Coordinates of all heavy atoms in Angstrom, one line a residue:
M1 N 24.8 -7.3 4.5 CA 24.2 -6.1 4.0 C 22.8 -6.2 3.6 O 22.3 -7.3 3.1 CB 25.1 -5.7 2.8 CG 24.6 -4.4 2.2 SD 25.7 -3.8 0.9 CE 25.0 -4.6 -0.5
V2 N 21.9 -5.2 3.9 CA 20.5 -5.3 3.5 C 20.3 -4.2 2.4 O 20.8 -3.1 2.5 CB 19.7 -5.0 4.7 CG1 18.2 -4.8 4.3 CG2 19.8 -6.0 5.9
A3 N 19.7 -4.8 1.3 CA 19.4 -3.9 0.1 C 17.9 -3.5 0.2 O 17.1 -4.4 -0.1 CB 19.8 -4.6 -1.1
L4 N 17.6 -2.3 0.6 CA 16.3 -1.8 0.6 C 15.9 -1.2 -0.7 O 16.7 -0.5 -1.3 CB 16.1 -0.8 1.8 CG 16.2 -1.3 3.3 CD1 16.2 -0.2 4.2 CD2 15.3 -2.4 3.6
Q5 N 14.6 -1.4 -1.0 CA 14.0 -0.7 -2.2 C 12.7 0.0 -1.7 O 11.9 -0.7 -1.1 CB 13.7 -1.7 -3.3 CG 14.9 -2.3 -3.9 CD 14.6 -3.1 -5.0 OE1 14.1 -2.7 -6.1 NE2 14.8 -4.4 -4.8
Y6 N 12.5 1.2 -2.0 CA 11.4 2.1 -1.7 C 10.5 2.1 -3.0 O 10.9 2.7 -3.9 CB 11.7 3.4 -1.2 CG 12.5 3.3 0.2 CD1 13.9 3.2 0.2 CD2 11.8 3.4 1.4 CE1 14.6 3.0 1.2 CE2 12.6 3.3 2.6 CZ 14.0 3.1 2.5 OH 14.6 3.0 3.7
I7 N 9.3 1.5 -2.9 CA 8.4 1.5 -4.1 C 7.1 2.4 -3.7 O 6.5 2.3 -2.7 CB 7.8 0.0 -4.2 CG1 9.1 -1.0 -4.3 CG2 7.0 0.0 -5.5 CD1 10.0 -0.7 -5.4
E8 N 6.8 3.2 -4.7 CA 5.6 4.0 -4.5 C 4.6 3.7 -5.8 O 5.1 3.8 -6.9 CB 6.0 5.5 -4.5 CG 4.6 6.3 -4.3 CD 4.9 7.8 -4.0 OE1 5.2 8.5 -5.0 OE2 4.9 8.1 -2.8
G9 N 3.4 3.4 -5.4 CA 2.4 3.1 -6.6 C 1.9 4.3 -7.2 O 2.3 5.5 -6.8
P10 N 1.0 4.2 -8.2 CA 0.5 5.3 -8.9 C -0.5 6.0 -7.9 O -1.0 5.5 -7.0 CB -0.2 4.6 -10.1 CG -0.6 3.2 -9.6 CD 0.6 2.9 -8.7
T11 N -0.9 7.2 -8.4 CA -2.0 7.9 -7.6 C -3.4 7.3 -7.8 O -3.7 7.0 -9.0 CB -2.0 9.4 -8.2 OG1 -0.8 10.0 -7.9 CG2 -3.1 10.2 -7.4
I12 N -4.0 7.0 -6.7 CA -5.2 6.2 -6.7 C -6.4 7.3 -6.4 O -6.3 8.0 -5.4 CB -5.3 5.1 -5.7 CG1 -4.2 4.2 -5.9 CG2 -6.6 4.5 -5.7 CD1 -4.2 3.4 -7.3
L13 N -7.3 7.3 -7.3 CA -8.4 8.2 -7.1 C -9.5 7.5 -6.0 O -9.8 6.4 -6.2 CB -9.2 8.4 -8.4 CG -10.5 9.2 -8.3 CD1 -10.2 10.7 -7.8 CD2 -11.2 9.2 -9.7
L14 N -9.8 8.3 -5.0 CA -10.7 7.8 -4.0 C -11.9 8.7 -4.1 O -12.0 9.9 -3.7 CB -10.1 8.0 -2.6 CG -11.0 7.8 -1.4 CD1 -11.5 6.2 -1.4 CD2 -10.1 7.9 -0.1
L15 N -13.0 8.3 -4.8 CA -14.2 9.0 -5.2 C -15.0 9.4 -3.9 O -14.9 8.6 -2.9 CB -15.1 8.2 -6.1 CG -14.5 8.0 -7.5 CD1 -15.4 7.0 -8.3 CD2 -14.3 9.3 -8.3
A16 N -15.7 10.5 -4.0 CA -16.6 10.9 -2.9 C -17.6 9.8 -2.5 O -18.1 9.0 -3.5 CB -17.3 12.1 -3.3
N17 N -17.8 9.5 -1.3 CA -18.8 8.6 -0.8 C -18.5 7.2 -1.2 O -19.5 6.5 -1.6 CB -20.3 9.1 -1.2 CG -20.6 10.4 -0.6 OD1 -20.5 10.6 0.6 ND2 -20.9 11.4 -1.4
T18 N -17.3 6.8 -1.2 CA -17.0 5.4 -1.5 C -15.8 4.9 -0.9 O -15.1 5.7 -0.1 CB -16.9 5.3 -3.1 OG1 -16.8 3.9 -3.4 CG2 -15.6 5.9 -3.6
G19 N -15.3 3.7 -1.1 CA -14.1 3.3 -0.6 C -13.3 2.6 -1.7 O -13.8 2.2 -2.6
V20 N -12.0 2.5 -1.4 CA -11.1 1.9 -2.4 C -9.9 1.3 -1.9 O -9.4 1.9 -0.8 CB -10.8 2.9 -3.6 CG1 -9.8 4.0 -3.2 CG2 -10.2 2.2 -4.9
G21 N -9.4 0.2 -2.4 CA -8.2 -0.3 -1.9 C -7.1 -0.3 -3.1 O -7.5 -0.3 -4.3
S22 N -5.9 -0.3 -2.8 CA -4.8 -0.5 -3.7 C -3.6 -1.1 -3.1 O -3.5 -1.1 -1.9 CB -4.4 0.9 -4.2 OG -3.5 0.8 -5.2
S23 N -2.8 -1.7 -3.9 CA -1.6 -2.4 -3.4 C -0.4 -2.2 -4.3 O -0.6 -1.8 -5.4 CB -1.8 -3.9 -3.5 OG -2.9 -4.3 -2.6
V24 N 0.8 -2.3 -3.7 CA 2.0 -2.2 -4.5 C 2.8 -3.5 -4.2 O 2.9 -4.0 -3.1 CB 2.9 -1.0 -4.3 CG1 2.2 0.3 -4.8 CG2 3.3 -0.9 -2.9
D25 N 3.4 -4.1 -5.3 CA 4.1 -5.3 -5.1 C 5.7 -5.1 -5.0 O 6.2 -4.1 -5.7 CB 3.9 -6.2 -6.4 CG 2.5 -6.7 -6.4 OD1 2.0 -7.1 -5.4 OD2 1.9 -6.8 -7.5
C26 N 6.4 -5.8 -4.2 CA 7.8 -5.8 -4.2 C 8.3 -6.4 -5.5 O 7.7 -7.4 -6.0 CB 8.3 -6.4 -2.9 SG 8.0 -5.5 -1.3
P27 N 9.5 -6.0 -5.8 CA 10.1 -6.7 -7.1 C 10.4 -8.2 -6.7 O 10.5 -8.5 -5.6 CB 11.4 -6.0 -7.2 CG 11.2 -4.7 -6.5 CD 10.3 -4.9 -5.4
A28 N 10.3 -9.0 -7.7 CA 10.5 -10.4 -7.6 C 11.8 -10.7 -6.9 O 12.8 -10.1 -7.1 CB 10.5 -11.1 -9.0
G29 N 11.7 -11.7 -5.9 CA 12.8 -12.0 -5.1 C 13.0 -11.2 -3.8 O 14.0 -11.5 -3.1
T30 N 12.2 -10.2 -3.7 CA 12.3 -9.4 -2.4 C 11.1 -9.5 -1.5 O 10.1 -10.0 -2.1 CB 12.5 -7.8 -2.8 OG1 11.3 -7.4 -3.4 CG2 13.7 -7.7 -3.7
S31 N 11.2 -9.1 -0.3 CA 10.0 -9.3 0.6 C 9.7 -7.8 1.2 O 10.6 -7.0 1.3 CB 10.5 -10.2 1.7 OG 10.8 -11.4 1.4
V32 N 8.4 -7.7 1.4 CA 8.0 -6.4 2.1 C 8.4 -6.4 3.5 O 8.1 -7.4 4.3 CB 6.4 -6.2 1.7 CG1 5.6 -7.1 2.6 CG2 6.0 -4.8 2.1
V33 N 8.9 -5.3 3.9 CA 9.3 -5.2 5.4 C 8.5 -4.0 6.1 O 8.5 -3.9 7.3 CB 10.8 -5.0 5.6 CG1 11.5 -6.2 5.2 CG2 11.2 -3.8 4.9
S34 N 7.9 -3.2 5.3 CA 7.0 -2.1 5.8 C 6.3 -1.5 4.7 O 6.5 -1.8 3.5 CB 8.0 -1.0 6.5 OG 7.1 -0.1 7.2
G35 N 5.3 -0.6 5.0 CA 4.5 0.1 4.0 C 3.6 1.1 4.6 O 3.5 1.3 5.9
G36 N 2.8 1.7 3.7 CA 1.8 2.6 4.2 C 1.2 3.4 3.0 O 1.2 2.8 1.9
A37 N 0.7 4.5 3.2 CA 0.0 5.2 2.2 C 0.4 6.8 2.4 O 0.6 7.2 3.5 CB -1.4 5.1 2.2
R38 N 0.5 7.5 1.2 CA 0.8 8.9 1.3 C -0.4 9.6 0.7 O -0.7 9.5 -0.5 CB 2.0 9.1 0.4 CG 2.5 10.5 0.4 CD 3.9 10.7 0.0 NE 4.2 10.5 -1.4 CZ 4.5 11.4 -2.3 NH1 4.6 12.7 -1.8 NH2 4.8 11.2 -3.5
P39 N -1.1 10.3 1.6 CA -2.2 11.0 1.0 C -1.9 12.3 0.3 O -0.8 12.9 0.5 CB -2.9 11.4 2.3 CG -1.9 11.5 3.4 CD -0.8 10.5 2.9
F40 N -2.7 12.7 -0.6 CA -2.4 13.9 -1.4 C -3.6 14.9 -1.0 O -3.3 15.8 -0.3 CB -2.3 13.7 -2.9 CG -1.1 13.0 -3.3 CD1 -1.0 11.7 -3.3 CD2 0.0 13.9 -3.5 CE1 0.2 11.0 -3.7 CE2 1.3 13.1 -3.8 CZ 1.4 11.7 -3.8
T41 N -4.8 14.8 -1.5 CA -5.9 15.7 -1.3 C -6.8 15.2 -0.2 O -7.9 15.5 -0.3 CB -6.6 16.0 -2.6 OG1 -7.1 14.8 -3.2 CG2 -5.7 16.7 -3.6
I42 N -6.4 14.2 0.6 CA -7.2 13.6 1.5 C -7.6 14.6 2.6 O -6.7 15.2 3.2 CB -6.7 12.3 2.1 CG1 -6.7 11.2 1.0 CG2 -7.4 11.9 3.3 CD1 -6.2 10.0 1.4
G43 N -8.9 14.8 2.8 CA -9.5 15.7 3.8 C -9.5 15.0 5.2 O -9.2 13.7 5.3
P44 N -9.8 15.8 6.4 CA -9.8 15.2 7.7 C -10.8 14.1 7.9 O -10.6 13.5 8.9 CB -9.9 16.5 8.5 CG -10.7 17.4 7.6 CD -10.1 17.2 6.2
D45 N -11.7 14.0 7.1 CA -12.8 13.0 7.4 C -12.7 11.8 6.6 O -13.4 10.9 6.8 CB -14.1 13.7 7.1 CG -14.5 14.8 8.1 OD1 -14.0 14.7 9.3 OD2 -15.2 15.8 7.7
V46 N -11.6 11.7 5.8 CA -11.4 10.5 5.1 C -10.7 9.4 6.0 O -9.9 9.9 6.9 CB -10.5 10.7 3.8 CG1 -10.0 9.4 3.2 CG2 -11.2 11.6 2.9
I47 N -11.1 8.2 6.0 CA -10.8 7.2 6.9 C -9.8 6.2 6.4 O -10.1 5.6 5.3 CB -12.0 6.4 7.5 CG1 -12.9 7.5 8.1 CG2 -11.6 5.4 8.5 CD1 -14.3 7.0 8.2
L48 N -8.6 6.0 7.0 CA -7.7 4.9 6.6 C -8.3 3.7 7.3 O -8.2 3.5 8.5 CB -6.3 5.2 7.1 CG -5.3 4.0 6.8 CD1 -5.2 3.7 5.4 CD2 -3.9 4.4 7.4
D49 N -8.8 2.8 6.5 CA -9.5 1.5 7.0 C -8.4 0.5 7.4 O -8.6 -0.1 8.4 CB -10.5 1.0 5.9 CG -11.2 -0.2 6.4 OD1 -12.1 -0.1 7.1 OD2 -10.8 -1.3 5.9
S50 N -7.5 0.3 6.5 CA -6.5 -0.7 6.8 C -5.3 -0.5 6.0 O -5.3 0.1 4.9 CB -7.0 -2.2 6.6 OG -7.5 -2.3 5.3
S51 N -4.1 -1.0 6.5 CA -2.8 -0.8 6.0 C -2.0 -2.0 6.4 O -1.7 -2.1 7.6 CB -2.2 0.5 6.3 OG -0.9 0.6 5.8
F52 N -1.7 -3.0 5.5 CA -1.1 -4.2 6.0 C -0.3 -5.0 4.9 O -0.5 -4.8 3.7 CB -2.2 -5.2 6.4 CG -3.3 -5.5 5.3 CD1 -3.2 -6.6 4.6 CD2 -4.3 -4.5 5.0 CE1 -4.2 -6.9 3.6 CE2 -5.3 -4.7 4.1 CZ -5.1 -5.9 3.3
P53 N 0.7 -5.7 5.3 CA 1.3 -6.7 4.3 C 0.5 -7.7 3.8 O -0.4 -8.3 4.6 CB 2.5 -7.2 5.1 CG 2.1 -7.2 6.6 CD 1.1 -6.0 6.7
S54 N 0.6 -8.0 2.6 CA -0.3 -9.1 1.9 C 0.5 -9.9 0.9 O 1.6 -9.7 0.6 CB -1.5 -8.4 1.3 OG -1.1 -7.5 0.4
D55 N -0.3 -10.9 0.4 CA 0.4 -11.9 -0.5 C 0.2 -11.5 -1.9 O -1.0 -11.3 -2.4 CB -0.3 -13.3 -0.4 CG 0.5 -14.3 -1.1 OD1 1.7 -14.3 -1.2 OD2 -0.3 -15.2 -1.7
G56 N 1.3 -11.3 -2.6 CA 1.2 -10.9 -4.1 C 1.4 -12.0 -5.0 O 0.7 -13.0 -4.8
A57 N 2.1 -11.9 -6.0 CA 2.2 -12.8 -7.1 C 3.3 -13.9 -6.9 O 3.5 -14.8 -7.9 CB 2.6 -12.0 -8.4
D58 N 3.9 -13.9 -5.8 CA 5.0 -14.9 -5.6 C 4.4 -16.3 -5.4 O 3.2 -16.4 -5.4 CB 6.0 -14.6 -4.5 CG 5.4 -14.6 -3.1 OD1 4.2 -14.9 -3.0 OD2 6.1 -14.3 -2.2
A59 N 5.2 -17.3 -5.3 CA 4.7 -18.7 -5.3 C 4.1 -19.2 -4.0 O 3.4 -20.1 -4.0 CB 5.9 -19.7 -5.7
D60 N 4.4 -18.4 -2.9 CA 3.8 -18.9 -1.6 C 2.5 -18.2 -1.3 O 2.0 -17.5 -2.1 CB 4.9 -18.7 -0.5 CG 5.2 -17.2 -0.3 OD1 4.4 -16.4 -0.5 OD2 6.4 -17.0 -0.1
T61 N 2.0 -18.5 -0.1 CA 0.7 -17.8 0.3 C 1.0 -17.0 1.5 O 0.1 -16.6 2.2 CB -0.3 -18.9 0.6 OG1 0.1 -19.7 1.6 CG2 -0.8 -19.7 -0.6
I62 N 2.3 -16.7 1.7 CA 2.8 -15.9 2.8 C 2.5 -14.4 2.5 O 2.9 -14.0 1.4 CB 4.2 -16.1 3.3 CG1 4.4 -17.6 3.7 CG2 4.7 -15.2 4.4 CD1 5.8 -18.1 3.8
P63 N 2.0 -13.5 3.4 CA 1.8 -12.1 3.0 C 3.1 -11.3 3.1 O 3.4 -10.4 3.9 CB 0.8 -11.7 4.1 CG 1.1 -12.5 5.3 CD 1.4 -13.9 4.7
D64 N 4.1 -11.7 2.2 CA 5.5 -11.2 2.3 C 6.0 -10.3 1.1 O 7.1 -10.0 1.0 CB 6.4 -12.4 2.6 CG 6.4 -13.3 1.3 OD1 5.5 -13.3 0.5 OD2 7.3 -14.2 1.3
D65 N 5.0 -10.1 0.1 CA 5.5 -9.5 -1.1 C 4.7 -8.4 -1.6 O 4.8 -7.9 -2.8 CB 5.8 -10.5 -2.1 CG 4.6 -11.3 -2.5 OD1 3.9 -11.8 -1.6 OD2 4.3 -11.5 -3.7
R66 N 3.8 -7.8 -0.8 CA 2.8 -6.7 -1.2 C 2.5 -6.0 0.0 O 2.3 -6.5 1.0 CB 1.7 -7.4 -2.0 CG 0.5 -6.5 -2.3 CD -0.6 -7.2 -2.9 NE -0.3 -7.5 -4.3 CZ -1.0 -8.2 -5.2 NH1 -2.2 -8.7 -4.7 NH2 -0.7 -8.4 -6.4
W67 N 2.2 -4.6 -0.3 CA 1.5 -3.8 0.8 C 0.2 -3.4 0.3 O 0.1 -2.9 -0.9 CB 2.4 -2.7 1.2 CG 2.0 -2.1 2.6 CD1 1.1 -1.1 2.7 CD2 2.4 -2.6 3.8 NE1 0.8 -0.9 4.0 CE2 1.7 -1.8 4.7 CE3 3.4 -3.5 4.2 CZ2 1.8 -1.9 6.2 CZ3 3.4 -3.6 5.6 CH2 2.8 -2.8 6.5
S68 N -0.8 -3.5 1.1 CA -2.2 -3.1 0.7 C -2.8 -2.1 1.6 O -2.5 -2.1 2.9 CB -3.0 -4.4 0.8 OG -2.7 -5.3 -0.2
V69 N -3.6 -1.2 1.1 CA -4.2 -0.1 1.9 C -5.7 0.0 1.4 O -5.9 -0.1 0.1 CB -3.5 1.2 1.6 CG1 -4.2 2.4 2.2 CG2 -2.1 1.1 2.2
F70 N -6.5 0.2 2.3 CA -8.0 0.6 2.0 C -8.4 1.9 2.6 O -8.0 2.0 3.9 CB -8.9 -0.5 2.4 CG -8.8 -1.8 1.7 CD1 -7.9 -2.8 1.9 CD2 -9.6 -2.0 0.5 CE1 -7.6 -3.9 1.2 CE2 -9.4 -3.2 -0.3 CZ -8.4 -4.2 0.1
Y71 N -8.9 2.8 1.9 CA -9.5 4.0 2.4 C -11.0 4.0 2.3 O -11.5 3.5 1.2 CB -8.9 5.2 1.7 CG -7.6 5.8 2.2 CD1 -6.4 5.5 1.6 CD2 -7.6 6.5 3.3 CE1 -5.3 6.0 2.1 CE2 -6.4 7.1 3.8 CZ -5.2 6.8 3.2 OH -4.0 7.3 3.6
N72 N -11.7 4.6 3.2 CA -13.1 5.0 3.1 C -13.2 6.5 2.9 O -12.6 7.2 3.7 CB -14.0 4.5 4.2 CG -14.0 2.9 4.1 OD1 -14.3 2.4 3.1 ND2 -13.9 2.3 5.2
N73 N -14.1 6.9 2.1 CA -14.3 8.4 1.9 C -15.7 8.7 2.0 O -16.5 8.7 1.1 CB -13.7 8.8 0.5 CG -13.9 10.3 0.2 OD1 -14.2 11.0 1.2 ND2 -13.6 10.7 -0.9
P74 N -16.1 9.0 3.2 CA -17.6 9.4 3.5 C -17.9 10.8 3.1 O -19.0 11.3 3.4 CB -17.7 9.1 5.0 CG -16.4 9.5 5.6 CD -15.3 9.1 4.5
T75 N -16.9 11.6 2.5 CA -17.2 12.9 2.2 C -17.8 13.2 0.9 O -17.8 12.3 0.1 CB -15.9 13.8 2.4 OG1 -15.0 13.5 1.3 CG2 -15.1 13.3 3.7
A76 N -18.1 14.3 0.6 CA -18.7 14.8 -0.7 C -17.6 15.1 -1.7 O -17.9 15.6 -2.9 CB -19.7 15.8 -0.6
S77 N -16.3 15.1 -1.4 CA -15.2 15.4 -2.2 C -14.3 14.4 -2.6 O -14.0 13.4 -1.7 CB -14.4 16.5 -1.5 OG -15.1 17.6 -1.3
N78 N -13.8 14.2 -3.8 CA -12.9 13.2 -4.2 C -11.5 13.5 -3.5 O -11.2 14.6 -3.2 CB -12.6 13.3 -5.8 CG -13.8 12.8 -6.5 OD1 -14.8 12.3 -5.9 ND2 -13.8 13.1 -7.8
S79 N -10.8 12.4 -3.3 CA -9.4 12.5 -2.6 C -8.5 11.6 -3.5 O -9.0 10.9 -4.5 CB -9.4 12.0 -1.2 OG -10.2 12.9 -0.4
N80 N -7.3 11.5 -3.2 CA -6.4 10.6 -3.8 C -5.2 10.3 -2.8 O -4.9 11.0 -2.0 CB -6.0 11.1 -5.2 CG -5.3 12.3 -5.2 OD1 -4.3 12.6 -4.6 ND2 -5.9 13.3 -6.0
F81 N -4.5 9.1 -3.2 CA -3.4 8.7 -2.3 C -2.6 7.8 -3.1 O -2.9 7.4 -4.3 CB -3.9 8.0 -1.1 CG -4.6 6.7 -1.4 CD1 -3.9 5.5 -1.4 CD2 -6.0 6.6 -1.7 CE1 -4.5 4.3 -1.7 CE2 -6.6 5.5 -2.0 CZ -6.0 4.3 -2.0
R82 N -1.3 7.5 -2.6 CA -0.5 6.5 -3.1 C 0.0 5.6 -2.2 O 0.2 5.9 -1.0 CB 0.8 7.2 -3.7 CG 0.6 8.0 -5.0 CD 1.8 8.6 -5.6 NE 1.5 9.4 -6.7 CZ 2.5 10.1 -7.3 NH1 3.7 10.2 -6.9 NH2 2.2 10.9 -8.4
V83 N 0.1 4.3 -2.5 CA 0.6 3.2 -1.6 C 2.1 3.1 -1.7 O 2.7 3.2 -2.8 CB -0.1 1.8 -1.9 CG1 0.4 0.9 -0.9 CG2 -1.6 2.0 -1.8
N84 N 2.8 2.9 -0.5 CA 4.2 2.8 -0.5 C 4.6 1.4 0.2 O 3.9 0.9 1.0 CB 4.9 3.9 0.4 CG 4.7 5.2 -0.4 OD1 5.6 5.7 -1.0 ND2 3.6 5.9 -0.1
A85 N 5.6 0.8 -0.3 CA 6.2 -0.4 0.3 C 7.7 -0.3 0.4 O 8.3 0.3 -0.6 CB 5.8 -1.6 -0.5
V86 N 8.2 -0.9 1.4 CA 9.7 -1.0 1.6 C 10.0 -2.4 1.4 O 9.5 -3.2 2.2 CB 10.1 -0.4 3.0 CG1 11.6 -0.5 3.1 CG2 9.6 1.1 3.2
C87 N 10.8 -2.7 0.5 CA 11.2 -4.1 0.2 C 12.6 -4.3 0.4 O 13.4 -3.5 0.2 CB 10.7 -4.4 -1.3 SG 9.1 -3.9 -1.8
A88 N 12.8 -5.7 0.7 CA 14.3 -6.0 1.0 C 14.5 -7.3 0.5 O 13.6 -8.3 0.5 CB 14.6 -5.9 2.5
T89 N 15.8 -7.8 0.2 CA 16.2 -9.1 0.0 C 16.5 -9.6 1.4 O 17.4 -9.1 2.2 CB 17.4 -9.1 -0.9 OG1 17.1 -8.5 -2.1 CG2 17.8 -10.6 -1.1
V90 N 15.9 -10.8 1.7 CA 16.0 -11.4 3.0 C 16.4 -12.8 2.9 O 16.2 -13.4 1.9 CB 14.7 -11.2 4.0 CG1 14.5 -9.8 4.1 CG2 13.6 -12.0 3.3
N91 N 16.9 -13.4 4.0 CA 17.3 -14.9 3.9 C 16.1 -15.8 4.0 O 16.1 -16.9 3.4 CB 18.3 -15.2 5.0 CG 19.6 -14.5 4.8 OD1 20.1 -14.2 3.7 ND2 20.3 -14.2 5.8
S92 N 15.2 -15.4 4.8 CA 13.9 -16.4 4.9 C 12.7 -15.6 5.4 O 12.9 -14.5 6.1 CB 14.3 -17.5 5.9 OG 14.5 -17.0 7.2
V93 N 11.5 -16.1 5.2 CA 10.3 -15.5 5.7 C 9.5 -16.7 6.3 O 9.6 -17.8 5.9 CB 9.5 -14.7 4.7 CG1 10.3 -13.5 4.2 CG2 9.2 -15.7 3.6
S94 N 8.6 -16.3 7.2 CA 7.7 -17.5 7.7 C 6.3 -16.7 8.1 O 6.2 -15.6 8.1 CB 8.3 -18.2 8.9 OG 8.6 -17.2 9.9
Ligands
CA101 CA1 3.9 -14.3 -0.7

């Protein structure tokens, strides 16, 4: 059996004419299996720069316990978004 957990981070402010990154961590003992970002007021010219699994607070250096997202906002309006991660208890990672 696979026990999935869906984690959503707080609303992140993406100021006009800047970029910002944010991450959400999986609960201790679980691994990230997918992730992304949920835009709220993001306009069509805001750019999703990257969205990827990364290394959080666990003891290893494997990018297996956090999801990270970076947005660039070249527009004159503020936007915001939330980062999401899907976490699971797995037998092993590499
Ligand atoms: Ca890790």
Side-chain angles (χ1 to χ4, degrees):
M1 184 176 84
V2 176
L4 293 175
Q5 295 183 66
Y6 296 86
I7 311 294
E8 184 170 78
T11 301
I12 303 299
L13 177 62
L14 177 56
L15 294 172
N17 297 305
T18 190
V20 70
S22 185
S23 300
V24 292
D25 290 320
C26 287
T30 67
S31 297
V32 67
V33 295
S34 185
R38 182 158 74 106
F40 288 93
T41 59
I42 288 180
D45 295 326
V46 172
I47 301 162
L48 176 61
D49 179 78
S50 57
S51 179
F52 57 97
S54 56
D55 185 39
D58 67 1
D60 61 36
T61 58
I62 300 169
D64 63 346
D65 56 314
R66 171 180 284 174
W67 196 271
S68 298
V69 170
F70 289 88
Y71 271 105
N72 288 317
N73 182 7
T75 76
S77 300
N78 293 346
S79 294
N80 57 58
F81 65 93
R82 290 181 180 175
V83 179
N84 292 269
V86 182
C87 309
T89 303
V90 300
N91 291 331
S92 67
V93 296
S94 59

